[in-house]
Amino acid sequence: MLNITKLDDPLFSPHSLNKFASLMTSGNGYMGVRASHEEDYTQQTRGMYLAGLYHCAGRGETSELINLPDVVGVQLEVNGDPFTLLSGEIVSWQRELDFSCGELRREVVWRSPSGARVRIVSRRFASMAHLPLLAMQVTVTALDEDVSLTFSTGIDGTQTNSGRQHLDELSLRVFGQEVLQGAWATQSSDTEVVITSHIQLSQAAESCFAAKNRRLLQNSSLLLSAGDSVTLDKFNWVVQREPDSLSLETFSRRCLNELQTCATLGYDALRDASLAVWREGWQARRVLVNSTNPADQQALDFTHYHLVAMTPLHDERSSIAAKALTGEGYKGHVFWDTEVFLLPYHQFTAPQTARSLLRYRYLNLPGAREKARRNGWHGALFPWESARSGHEETPEFAAINIRTGLRQKVASALAEHHLVADIAWAVVNYWHATHDEAFMRSEGVSLLTETATFWISRAVEANGRLELHDVIGPDEYTEHVNNNAFTNYMAWHNVEQALHFVAQFGELQPAFAASAADFLQRLWLPEPDAKGVLAQDDTFMRKPTIDLTKYKAKAGKQTILLDYSRAEVNEMQILKQADVVMLNYMLPERFPDAVSQANLAYYEPRTIHDSSLSKTIHGIVAARCGNVEQAYHFWREGSEIDLGEEPHSSDDGIHAAATGAIWLGAVQGFAGLSVHKGELHLAPELPAQWQRLSVPLCWQGVRFTVEANQEAVTVTSAAEISLWLWGRKISVNGQQRYHKSDFISSKIGTATMVRAE
Amino acid sequence: MLNITKLDDPLFSPHSLNKFASLMTSGNGYMGVRASHEEDYTQQTRGMYLAGLYHCAGRGETSELINLPDVVGVQLEVNGDPFTLLSGEIVSWQRELDFSCGELRREVVWRSPSGARVRIVSRRFASMAHLPLLAMQVTVTALDEDVSLTFSTGIDGTQTNSGRQHLDELSLRVFGQEVLQGAWATQSSDTEVVITSHIQLSQAAESCFAAKNRRLLQNSSLLLSAGDSVTLDKFNWVVQREPDSLSLETFSRRCLNELQTCATLGYDALRDASLAVWREGWQARRVLVNSTNPADQQALDFTHYHLVAMTPLHDERSSIAAKALTGEGYKGHVFWDTEVFLLPYHQFTAPQTARSLLRYRYLNLPGAREKARRNGWHGALFPWESARSGHEETPEFAAINIRTGLRQKVASALAEHHLVADIAWAVVNYWHATHDEAFMRSEGVSLLTETATFWISRAVEANGRLELHDVIGPDEYTEHVNNNAFTNYMAWHNVEQALHFVAQFGELQPAFAASAADFLQRLWLPEPDAKGVLAQDDTFMRKPTIDLTKYKAKAGKQTILLDYSRAEVNEMQILKQADVVMLNYMLPERFPDAVSQANLAYYEPRTIHDSSLSKTIHGIVAARCGNVEQAYHFWREGSEIDLGEEPHSSDDGIHAAATGAIWLGAVQGFAGLSVHKGELHLAPELPAQWQRLSVPLCWQGVRFTVEANQEAVTVTSAAEISLWLWGRKISVNGQQRYHKSDFISSKIGTATMVRAE
């Protein structure tokens, strides 16, 4: 038994409905279905999304993941009282998401306003064995007396993305007494969606159908005897049809047949088939920790569950949305989050998935080239926010400016260009972890060349050198600056690696080689000051500071924008998230630990951590600098972005990058994984709370496990693997145990020793 | 004091939320705002509509009244508990619509789940003095202890018509601390909507704004001391901008100025200004009744309130939607309901309004001509369902066919052509009531000629005569029949009147005169059988009957379609609504009372009354036949279509025609008003429950009042008026009292006597 943790929704509260709807999303990489209750609540946002299914709903809008017609809703009446936990009495409540198989379960005993007690048990999962299948079951038991029940459920096309409708209804129809089917087309006619639902009650009921106002419903009434139960099984098949495939009619008939086959198997058999697929992933990829805080293992299981549920293995034209498939935040767009925060997990545990995600960028090179050209540059300028087409999808406006009353423009698409270098960075990392030559010769070389070409064209002559002007670094509270350290260093790394790998795997054009060499020689790379602090950009150090205590206490909520306009924030030393610290994290070979330490000390007090990308990165840098307890503190805080107690933290979706960062923190922070000169390094250093950490990894085709405790490390590998442990090269084939004391004399020295190598 | 009745919402129930939201709609003919509560409920459908503001939201859809961004919603939290009447305790409840001024008022004492008692009083009205103004007020009083309150309100653009979105967001902005403004364009760019809201709290509060996901909200928090009250005043200015008017910016600034001027006046002064306009209408047009059942006066006041609230006096390009401006049923489309059920009220009390409504049809002649031509006919075939453009707007599909699982096509647009003759009928009625020569010479003659031309071209040679094939009469449960009696007689009347009035007011073309004369001579007009029964159509009498008891018990719900497909219903003697009885009602000069009586007796048992147009018409025909008690019974049932206890009767809007029919029943039924040979007839005959009936009327420019009791009638007129009372011509100038016993010897004889004339 794997003994995988679960996530509890501890009590029913209107305030936390949407948080748990996000956290407990049923997903399989193909679809995501928010864990909304079967019954409606005014604050509850339902959501069902297919990976890559975007559409733009009108003028001034950008493409967004379509919130599809709902199938989860089941309106139940007990003796005429609508079942809602706001009225009557909740006699008992239990709700959990079982990470092991992604099954969401709720068991409620409810006393209706008229006094009838019923037990309502509901379960659902998105199948890993049949990706288009969402299976549901609701069982009602009459606990004391006979009750009359009505169930109303079907396919509800009134769903919108906050009022934006993407779909035109093509048809609604019914087959026999049990099957409903609806077909919709996106308003731009790019694609069609067919949803088929098979609904069956375990007892005879009086049923009728209604098709009105975009809703297709089956309404059933029955009398349930005291002590009896009735079960509603509902199987839903959700697919999109590309216009050049089968005719809609043939396609719809096929959906019907596939669904009927599933329905014949029944809920439990379908769940077992899905569980079997999940189990393989857990066995191969789960990070295990023995901690005094059981929430630590839960956080790591949360990460594996969601990283699988959000990743579209089936389709390399799709990548991972910033809120996964769990909500509409950021409209389902893809950011640098994927390459920087999510790719490492796949690269080190399921490299084919990392390859597919990089292919997404490769396939979107045309849009990136076009964006560069439109702005007067060469090469590839990837869109800051990306969807299906590869074109820029960043919305135009953000929050209201408290001074002018007008909405403030979003500048990221114009100037937040570091993403280009981040993608190149990810390509290089992928190469080191996989030595995937086929990829590097084709996609890798293209991505590196095009990104490097962009930077070379982006640099300007100034002060007798090359500079990068008018950019935004990861810290989005500081816009339109020159020589942002993060951007300059990452661009330099981009061009350097391109030069290296193109020479090795492609054809190095002399013109490119010359301009790249010139760029590398002349690009201004700001130096740390005497204390080791790197200026975030040309003007940052001259700006005033203010006390950020009250804003840091509400990190993630951007409360500073309720007191200051963005323009005002821009003119102070206020960071939304790590910027120089992030740079230290990404290019550890480039910066001695003393520099990282100095930057952490300087910038952290100036950082609100209003971005969910911030804290865990601070934690990893702290761990690398030997501050394991500080690292653990950051790591815990990072894992609480979604899993903490703030009831609205995740209303519009989980924070995919922060979820990936939970794994990064454990593996790059506490297992000390890093790559230097293309070689794998480990330097486990567990926080006091952890007795054991076990990490399965895949390095250049070899799968192995690293298990660390406070004193020793055991490496288990079925094939020969070479790596550096605490600064010393080791080679393992089979199982080998290493005592830390044989490597380093004291904890204090650890970091210095390893880095000194 | 006019002592106008009110409408009570007797208790809070999730089941009746939408019924009362419709019945208590705030309206002024320009806008309609559903009486949704400030707080949200999952079953509650909010709605704000502007008369004539239609848009078509996508493929397969038709134009519909746009459900505009919501301003009514106010989310209140008391000590962190969301205010909802589903939780906590309702200590006291009172809710009413004051018909006299259209003010909706609610007073609730609520104990929150955490135990704090608050009184919440809310009021709102749509202003008759400033049509674009919706004024609202919410006052919260802390009854026992200090409470923390948060108010969240603004302009919510997530509203849709059952998921169909019509508007693209153009801008959202804030002025100062109190004013929010949003601008939207229809997706087809035809028009823009600007909504401006002025929000003010009577106590200092901490406020901030949020603009996200189509919502622009002001969030305010404050601590309210025990015993204290805080009042939120919210004034909303809702207008549309035609693209060729002022620039959006200038227009928006003007909205802001107009609203600011209103806000300065304050809620009470604004309400008084609106009340003054209402009062004039009540004084001039109110029907008064002394009845043993107080609901009778309420039904009549309900009628006046809603007939004013639904009628777009300001715009002759708009007419009246079948559900008024109170909901989305029938998508806000205009049917024959306007001319047949609503126009008489205006024609007899405010003829300018009737003229404007007929002008709507006149202005839509181009669309009607086009529809006729497209179908191979001449003249004007008005669309069965009409919106702004004058083109056919009938949706393609209705309910699911219980046999095939497919949605059933709506045939009305193809064959329900009697509407054409109904419009001509209304033109003639308007002429008699007003002698408006200017209208008749222009609009009247055009409408009569074009409609008559249609019928002439529509008739076919068959059986050696002219017949009308493949039509649908008012009874929509019988489709695609030949020689529907209603249609044939009304078409004949149409052509006859056209010939008459064109000769009098226009230029009679010889060709038209000849073809009209031929039509009148040769059109087949089925004759009553020996018992006086007129066959509904050629095949009706050969169809089988079934027991309709169970369906009649659920009249209005179309439950028969849960047991039979439409095709099956079509082949039985099953009527949705009065058809031949309706004909008897519309052309009383044509049919002796004995015929009406026979048809009533034959058809009523075969009529489910699934249409709201059915019962009151039966009542009027019964009254004319002298069956006053039966008439009263039908009238009461007709008034209960909206005002009865069925909680879902009016979810998607009131039944405008049935509302008009309440007036028709009182005036044409019990006051016995009819027009014969262009002269006004009255024959009051009150039901036993009524002691007095007072009806203000306007006839050919003279305003007068008829007051009847069981024995006598008093006519009061400031100018000379001639009319027929109980079959005898009278002339009044001043006040005159007439004793019934001087006119007729016994009740039994009444009807016969009058008709014999």
Side-chain angles (χ1 to χ4, degrees):
Chain A
M1 287 304 295
L2 291 169
N3 216 357
I4 290 155
T5 59
K6 302 179 175 69
L7 179 66
D8 280 323
D9 179 356
L11 86 174
F12 174 78
S13 159
H15 290 293
S16 60
L17 277 172
N18 285 321
K19 178 190 180 104
F20 284 98
S22 299
L23 265 52
M24 294 178 143
T25 287
S26 303
N28 58 13
Y30 167 88
M31 71 164 91
V33 182
R34 281 170 65 78
S36 303
H37 296 294
E38 286 77 12
E39 69 279 10
D40 286 331
Y41 294 96
T42 57
Q43 302 94 336
Q44 174 172 279
T45 306
R46 298 187 179 282
M48 177 163 75
Y49 316 97
L50 293 189
L53 182 51
Y54 296 90
H55 180 259
C56 177
R59 258 166 311 172
E61 299 291 343
T62 54
S63 292
E64 62 188 342
L65 271 181
I66 300 175
N67 191 345
L68 294 170
D70 178 67
V71 294
V72 167
V74 181
Q75 308 306 323
L76 173 69
E77 286 190 10
V78 179
N79 291 340
D81 289 320
F83 168 57
T84 165
L85 296 172
L86 291 172
S87 68
E89 184 199 344
I90 305 173
V91 181
S92 73
W93 161 274
Q94 208 186 340
R95 189 171 192 237
E96 62 186 19
L97 174 67
D98 184 342
F99 290 136
S100 71
C101 58
E103 188 176 56
L104 176 68
R105 296 190 279 258
R106 181 177 71 164
E107 180 170 335
V108 175
V109 174
W110 183 65
R111 194 188 311 276
S112 77
S114 71
R117 267 194 330 146
V118 288
R119 177 185 297 117
I120 302 170
V121 180
S122 55
R123 310 192 285 164
R124 89 176 71 128
F125 66 94
S127 171
M128 288 294 278
H130 309 85
L131 294 181
L133 178 69
L134 177 77
M136 298 166 54
Q137 194 175 71
V138 180
T139 301
V140 181
T141 307
L143 293 179
D144 307 314
E145 52 184 292
D146 296 359
V147 292
S148 69
L149 297 182
T150 68
F151 292 91
S152 179
T153 189
I155 309 174
D156 180 356
T158 67
Q159 284 295 105
T160 63
N161 292 65
S162 296
R164 292 176 296 273
Q165 181 56 266
H166 297 277
L167 299 175
D168 287 339
E169 182 183 297
L170 297 180
S171 73
L172 299 179
R173 66 174 298 183
V174 174
F175 297 92
Q177 292 304 301
E178 295 175 345
V179 180
L180 313 180
Q181 189 173 66
W184 293 263
T186 53
Q187 296 193 328
S188 60
S189 303
D190 292 340
T191 188
E192 288 160 3
V193 177
V194 177
I195 301 179
T196 316
S197 293
H198 181 285
I199 307 170
Q200 193 164 10
L201 278 166
S202 63
Q203 292 207 8
E206 211 171 294
S207 290
C208 68
F209 298 100
K212 199 180 171 189
N213 283 332
R214 297 180 68 97
R215 283 193 184 93
L216 177 59
L217 294 176
Q218 186 196 58
N219 302 301
S220 302
S221 307
L222 61 105
L223 195 73
L224 186 66
S225 305
D228 257 17
S229 297
V230 60
T231 295
L232 178 128
D233 279 301
K234 184 172 179 186
F235 304 106
N236 309 283
W237 195 261
V238 184
V239 280
Q240 69 179 107
R241 186 186 83 91
E242 303 296 339
D244 51 357
S245 71
L246 299 171
S247 77
L248 179 58
E249 198 170 328
T250 309
F251 185 81
S252 300
R253 205 172 318 116
R254 247 183 229 194
C255 295
L256 185 67
N257 293 342
E258 304 236 41
L259 179 64
Q260 297 283 34
T261 308
C262 287
T264 309
L265 294 173
Y267 184 94
D268 288 330
L270 290 166
R271 198 212 33 205
D272 291 346
S274 177
L275 175 61
V277 182
W278 273 108
R279 192 177 285 130
E280 288 171 34
W282 284 109
Q283 279 165 341
R285 306 171 77 184
R286 186 183 189 205
V287 174
L288 268 166
V289 69
N290 286 13
S291 169
T292 53
N293 186 350
D296 290 349
Q297 181 63 51
Q298 188 188 43
L300 288 161
D301 288 347
F302 175 81
T303 297
H304 175 74
Y305 172 75
H306 274 294
L307 265 68
V308 169
M310 73 176 69
T311 306
L313 278 188
H314 62 292
D315 177 19
E316 62 184 16
R317 299 297 314 227
S318 298
S319 182
I320 304 172
K323 297 283 188 178
L325 295 170
T326 69
E328 289 162 42
Y330 298 113
K331 297 175 176 286
H333 293 169
V334 181
F335 292 70
W336 67 314
D337 304 35
T338 302
E339 283 76 13
V340 175
F341 293 84
L342 300 166
L343 205 74
Y345 172 67
H346 295 299
Q347 168 187 304
F348 285 115
T349 64
Q352 272 305 109
T353 304
R355 186 182 215 272
S356 172
L357 292 168
L358 289 171
R359 288 264 305 158
Y360 167 81
R361 294 295 189 182
Y362 171 75
L363 294 168
N364 281 336
L365 270 170
R369 279 194 207 102
E370 190 190 318
K371 184 177 173 188
R373 266 197 307 279
R374 255 206 330 273
N375 287 278
W377 295 307
H378 304 302
L381 171 51
F382 283 95
W384 177 244
E385 300 189 21
S386 181
R388 184 83 174 177
S389 70
H391 293 291
E392 183 58 74
E393 302 283 5
T394 305
E396 200 176 349
F397 292 109
I400 294 272
N401 182 321
I402 58 151
R403 304 285 173 232
T404 63
L406 294 164
R407 297 185 78 173
Q408 300 172 101
K409 290 232 176 191
V410 178
S412 299
L414 306 174
E416 199 160 352
H417 292 163
H418 63 80
L419 159 77
V420 172
D422 305 331
I423 291 171
W425 175 86
V427 167
V428 171
N429 290 353
Y430 172 74
W431 159 256
H432 290 312
T434 61
H435 281 190
D436 179 348
E437 277 199 28
F439 176 84
M440 207 57 180
R441 287 191 191 288
S442 164
E443 294 91 336
V445 159
S446 292
L447 284 164
L448 289 173
T449 310
E450 298 274 2
T451 50
T453 302
F454 166 71
W455 289 117
I456 294 166
S457 75
R458 178 74 168 77
V460 293
E461 292 277 352
N463 305 311
R465 59 203 185 194
L466 292 179
E467 298 193 350
L468 292 172
H469 286 184
D470 191 20
V471 299
I472 304 174
D475 165 32
E476 291 169 340
Y477 283 171
T478 310
E479 294 180 346
H480 302 299
V481 292
N482 294 345
N483 298 313
N484 169 261
F486 182 92
T487 308
N488 283 28
Y489 273 94
M490 288 296 294
W492 195 93
H493 176 261
N494 187 163
V495 175
E496 180 207 28
Q497 298 291 313
L499 203 52
H500 172 76
F501 282 103
V502 174
Q504 192 177 345
F505 292 103
E507 284 178 51
L508 189 60
Q509 302 296 327
F512 174 76
S515 60
D518 177 64
F519 180 90
L520 293 175
Q521 198 184 339
R522 296 178 58 226
L523 182 72
W524 167 238
L525 292 179
E527 288 291 313
D529 69 9
K531 288 178 183 159
V533 178
L534 206 51
Q536 186 174 306
D537 57 60
D538 281 358
T539 52
F540 187 86
M541 291 304 187
R542 298 200 295 271
K543 293 174 179 174
T545 59
I546 60 167
D547 179 9
L548 296 180
T549 314
K550 91 180 223 207
Y551 308 112
K552 284 171 81 86
K554 295 191 171 180
K557 293 183 161 180
Q558 309 202 359
T559 49
I560 190 129
L561 297 179
L562 303 178
D563 292 338
Y564 299 95
S565 70
R566 284 190 87 97
E568 291 167 328
V569 169
N570 205 51
E571 298 310 314
M572 297 185 281
Q573 290 195 15
I574 298 173
L575 275 69
K576 186 179 176 193
Q577 70 182 81
D579 194 300
V580 172
V581 172
M582 188 80 207
L583 172 63
N584 297 156
Y585 161 73
M586 289 182 75
L587 299 178
E589 290 180 271
R590 183 98 206 190
F591 301 101
D593 287 348
V595 168
S596 296
Q597 183 97 54
N599 285 305
L600 202 55
Y602 183 82
Y603 284 106
E604 203 285 328
R606 290 159 171 82
T607 304
I608 301 179
H609 300 293
D610 270 343
S611 163
S612 63
L613 311 183
S614 195
K615 282 190 174 168
T616 320
I617 298 304
H618 275 82
I620 296 170
V621 174
R624 287 179 178 167
C625 296
N627 306 323
V628 179
E629 292 317 311
Q630 190 191 12
Y632 181 71
H633 183 73
F634 276 123
W635 185 80
R636 275 260 98 245
E637 286 194 343
S639 75
E640 300 222 326
I641 288 169
D642 283 318
L643 291 167
E645 301 211 329
E646 161 58 36
H648 295 289
S649 62
S650 314
D651 282 357
D652 59 0
I654 66 162
H655 300 76
T659 303
I662 292 173
W663 186 90
L664 296 180
V667 176
Q668 299 186 333
F670 307 123
L673 181 150
S674 60
V675 176
H676 295 270
K677 299 184 177 144
E679 295 190 284
L680 183 66
H681 287 245
L682 292 169
E685 177 75 22
L686 305 193
Q689 293 81 353
W690 289 11
Q691 294 84 53
R692 190 176 73 112
L693 170 66
S694 167
V695 181
L697 291 169
C698 181
W699 179 255
Q700 295 172 2
V702 180
R703 291 195 172 273
F704 65 103
T705 306
V706 181
E707 188 176 320
N709 60 25
Q710 294 285 353
E711 293 84 33
V713 161
T714 303
V715 179
T716 309
S717 176
E720 174 146 358
I721 173 92
S722 289
L723 55 84
W724 296 70
L725 184 65
W726 291 306
R728 191 187 302 168
K729 189 143 192 180
I730 61 168
S731 198
V732 184
N733 191 344
Q735 190 172 72
Q736 198 95 34
R737 186 173 166 87
Y738 302 94
H739 283 270
K740 198 198 284 186
S741 56
D742 295 340
F743 288 70
I744 36 179
S745 48
S746 78
K747 276 194 175 185
I748 308 302
T750 313
T752 323
M753 250 204 70
V754 176
R755 296 292 159 231
E757 159 289 308
Chain B
M1 287 305 295
L2 293 169
N3 214 357
I4 290 155
T5 60
K6 301 179 176 70
L7 179 66
D8 280 323
D9 180 356
L11 85 174
F12 173 80
S13 158
H15 290 294
S16 60
L17 277 172
N18 285 320
K19 179 189 180 104
F20 284 97
S22 299
L23 263 54
M24 295 179 142
T25 287
S26 303
N28 58 12
Y30 167 88
M31 71 163 93
V33 182
R34 282 169 65 77
S36 303
H37 296 294
E38 286 78 11
E39 69 279 9
D40 287 331
Y41 295 96
T42 57
Q43 301 94 336
Q44 173 173 280
T45 306
R46 298 187 177 283
M48 177 162 76
Y49 316 97
L50 294 189
L53 181 50
Y54 297 90
H55 179 260
C56 177
R59 258 167 309 173
E61 300 290 342
T62 55
S63 292
E64 63 188 341
L65 271 180
I66 301 175
N67 191 347
L68 293 170
D70 177 69
V71 295
V72 167
V74 181
Q75 309 306 323
L76 174 68
E77 286 190 9
V78 179
N79 291 341
D81 289 320
F83 168 57
T84 166
L85 297 171
L86 291 172
S87 68
E89 185 198 344
I90 304 173
V91 180
S92 74
W93 161 272
Q94 208 186 341
R95 189 171 192 237
E96 63 185 19
L97 174 68
D98 184 343
F99 291 136
S100 71
C101 59
E103 188 177 55
L104 175 69
R105 297 190 277 258
R106 181 177 70 164
E107 180 170 336
V108 174
V109 174
W110 182 65
R111 194 188 312 275
S112 76
S114 71
R117 268 194 330 143
V118 288
R119 176 185 297 116
I120 302 169
V121 179
S122 54
R123 310 192 285 164
R124 87 176 73 130
F125 66 92
S127 171
M128 288 294 278
H130 308 85
L131 296 182
L133 178 69
L134 177 77
M136 299 165 53
Q137 194 176 71
V138 180
T139 301
V140 181
T141 308
L143 293 179
D144 307 313
E145 52 185 292
D146 296 359
V147 292
S148 69
L149 297 181
T150 68
F151 293 91
S152 178
T153 189
I155 308 173
D156 179 356
T158 67
Q159 285 294 106
T160 63
N161 293 64
S162 295
R164 292 176 296 274
Q165 181 56 264
H166 297 279
L167 300 174
D168 287 337
E169 181 183 298
L170 297 179
S171 71
L172 299 179
R173 65 175 297 182
V174 174
F175 296 92
Q177 292 302 302
E178 294 176 346
V179 180
L180 313 181
Q181 189 173 66
W184 293 263
T186 54
Q187 295 192 328
S188 60
S189 304
D190 291 341
T191 187
E192 288 159 4
V193 176
V194 177
I195 301 179
T196 317
S197 293
H198 182 286
I199 307 169
Q200 193 164 11
L201 278 166
S202 64
Q203 291 207 7
E206 210 170 297
S207 290
C208 67
F209 299 101
K212 199 181 170 188
N213 283 332
R214 297 180 67 98
R215 283 195 184 91
L216 177 59
L217 294 175
Q218 185 196 59
N219 302 300
S220 302
S221 308
L222 61 104
L223 194 73
L224 188 64
S225 305
D228 257 17
S229 295
V230 61
T231 295
L232 178 129
D233 280 303
K234 184 172 179 185
F235 304 107
N236 309 284
W237 195 261
V238 184
V239 281
Q240 69 180 108
R241 185 186 83 92
E242 304 295 339
D244 52 356
S245 71
L246 299 172
S247 76
L248 178 58
E249 196 171 330
T250 309
F251 186 81
S252 300
R253 204 173 318 115
R254 247 183 229 195
C255 295
L256 184 68
N257 293 340
E258 304 237 42
L259 179 64
Q260 297 283 34
T261 308
C262 286
T264 309
L265 294 172
Y267 185 94
D268 288 330
L270 290 166
R271 198 211 35 204
D272 291 347
S274 177
L275 175 60
V277 181
W278 273 109
R279 193 178 285 128
E280 288 173 34
W282 285 109
Q283 280 164 342
R285 306 172 75 184
R286 186 184 188 203
V287 175
L288 268 166
V289 68
N290 286 13
S291 169
T292 53
N293 186 350
D296 291 349
Q297 182 62 52
Q298 188 188 42
L300 288 160
D301 287 348
F302 175 81
T303 297
H304 175 74
Y305 172 74
H306 274 294
L307 265 68
V308 171
M310 74 176 69
T311 306
L313 280 188
H314 61 291
D315 176 19
E316 62 184 17
R317 298 298 317 227
S318 298
S319 182
I320 303 172
K323 297 282 187 180
L325 295 171
T326 70
E328 289 161 42
Y330 299 114
K331 297 176 177 286
H333 294 168
V334 181
F335 293 70
W336 67 313
D337 306 33
T338 302
E339 283 75 15
V340 176
F341 294 84
L342 300 166
L343 206 74
Y345 172 69
H346 294 300
Q347 168 187 303
F348 285 116
T349 64
Q352 272 305 111
T353 303
R355 185 185 216 272
S356 172
L357 292 169
L358 289 171
R359 289 263 305 157
Y360 166 81
R361 293 296 190 182
Y362 171 74
L363 293 169
N364 282 335
L365 270 171
R369 281 195 206 100
E370 190 190 317
K371 184 177 173 186
R373 266 198 308 280
R374 254 208 328 271
N375 288 279
W377 296 305
H378 304 301
L381 170 52
F382 282 95
W384 177 245
E385 300 189 21
S386 181
R388 184 81 174 179
S389 70
H391 293 291
E392 182 60 74
E393 302 283 5
T394 305
E396 199 177 349
F397 292 109
I400 293 274
N401 181 320
I402 58 149
R403 305 283 175 235
T404 63
L406 293 165
R407 297 185 79 173
Q408 300 172 103
K409 290 233 176 192
V410 178
S412 300
L414 306 174
E416 199 159 354
H417 294 162
H418 64 81
L419 159 76
V420 172
D422 305 331
I423 292 170
W425 174 88
V427 167
V428 172
N429 291 352
Y430 172 75
W431 160 256
H432 290 311
T434 62
H435 281 189
D436 179 348
E437 278 199 28
F439 176 85
M440 207 56 178
R441 288 193 191 285
S442 162
E443 294 91 336
V445 159
S446 292
L447 284 164
L448 289 172
T449 311
E450 298 275 1
T451 51
T453 303
F454 166 71
W455 289 117
I456 293 166
S457 75
R458 178 73 169 77
V460 293
E461 292 278 353
N463 306 311
R465 58 201 185 196
L466 293 178
E467 299 193 350
L468 292 172
H469 286 185
D470 191 20
V471 300
I472 304 174
D475 165 32
E476 291 169 339
Y477 283 171
T478 310
E479 294 180 346
H480 302 299
V481 292
N482 295 346
N483 298 313
N484 168 263
F486 182 94
T487 308
N488 284 29
Y489 275 94
M490 289 297 293
W492 196 94
H493 177 261
N494 188 162
V495 175
E496 179 206 32
Q497 297 292 312
L499 203 51
H500 173 76
F501 283 103
V502 174
Q504 193 178 345
F505 294 105
E507 285 178 52
L508 189 59
Q509 304 294 329
F512 174 75
S515 59
D518 178 63
F519 180 90
L520 293 175
Q521 199 184 337
R522 298 178 57 224
L523 182 71
W524 167 239
L525 292 179
E527 288 290 315
D529 68 10
K531 291 180 181 158
V533 177
L534 206 52
Q536 186 173 305
D537 57 62
D538 282 359
T539 52
F540 187 86
M541 290 305 187
R542 297 201 295 271
K543 293 176 178 172
T545 58
I546 60 166
D547 179 8
L548 296 180
T549 314
K550 91 180 224 208
Y551 308 112
K552 284 171 82 88
K554 294 190 172 180
K557 293 183 162 180
Q558 310 203 358
T559 50
I560 189 131
L561 297 180
L562 303 179
D563 292 338
Y564 299 94
S565 70
R566 284 190 87 98
E568 289 165 329
V569 170
N570 204 53
E571 297 311 314
M572 297 185 281
Q573 288 196 15
I574 298 174
L575 275 69
K576 186 179 176 192
Q577 70 181 79
D579 193 300
V580 173
V581 172
M582 188 81 208
L583 172 63
N584 297 156
Y585 161 73
M586 289 182 76
L587 299 179
E589 290 180 273
R590 184 98 206 189
F591 302 101
D593 285 348
V595 168
S596 296
Q597 184 96 56
N599 286 306
L600 204 53
Y602 183 82
Y603 285 106
E604 203 285 328
R606 292 163 171 79
T607 303
I608 301 180
H609 301 293
D610 269 344
S611 164
S612 64
L613 312 181
S614 195
K615 282 190 172 167
T616 320
I617 298 304
H618 275 81
I620 297 170
V621 174
R624 287 179 179 166
C625 296
N627 305 323
V628 180
E629 292 316 312
Q630 192 191 13
Y632 180 70
H633 184 73
F634 276 124
W635 186 80
R636 274 262 98 245
E637 287 195 341
S639 75
E640 299 223 326
I641 288 169
D642 283 319
L643 291 166
E645 300 211 330
E646 160 57 37
H648 294 289
S649 62
S650 314
D651 281 358
D652 59 0
I654 67 162
H655 299 77
T659 303
I662 293 172
W663 186 90
L664 296 180
V667 176
Q668 299 185 335
F670 307 123
L673 181 149
S674 60
V675 177
H676 295 269
K677 298 184 178 143
E679 294 190 285
L680 183 66
H681 287 245
L682 291 168
E685 178 73 21
L686 306 193
Q689 293 81 352
W690 289 11
Q691 295 84 53
R692 190 178 71 111
L693 169 67
S694 167
V695 181
L697 291 168
C698 182
W699 179 254
Q700 294 172 4
V702 180
R703 293 196 171 271
F704 66 104
T705 305
V706 181
E707 188 175 319
N709 59 25
Q710 294 286 354
E711 293 83 35
V713 160
T714 304
V715 179
T716 311
S717 177
E720 175 147 357
I721 173 92
S722 290
L723 54 86
W724 295 72
L725 185 63
W726 291 304
R728 190 186 304 164
K729 189 142 193 183
I730 61 169
S731 198
V732 184
N733 192 344
Q735 190 171 75
Q736 199 94 36
R737 187 173 164 89
Y738 301 95
H739 283 271
K740 199 198 286 186
S741 54
D742 297 340
F743 287 71
I744 36 177
S745 48
S746 78
K747 276 196 175 185
I748 308 300
T750 313
T752 322
M753 253 203 68
V754 175
R755 295 293 158 231
E757 156 291 309

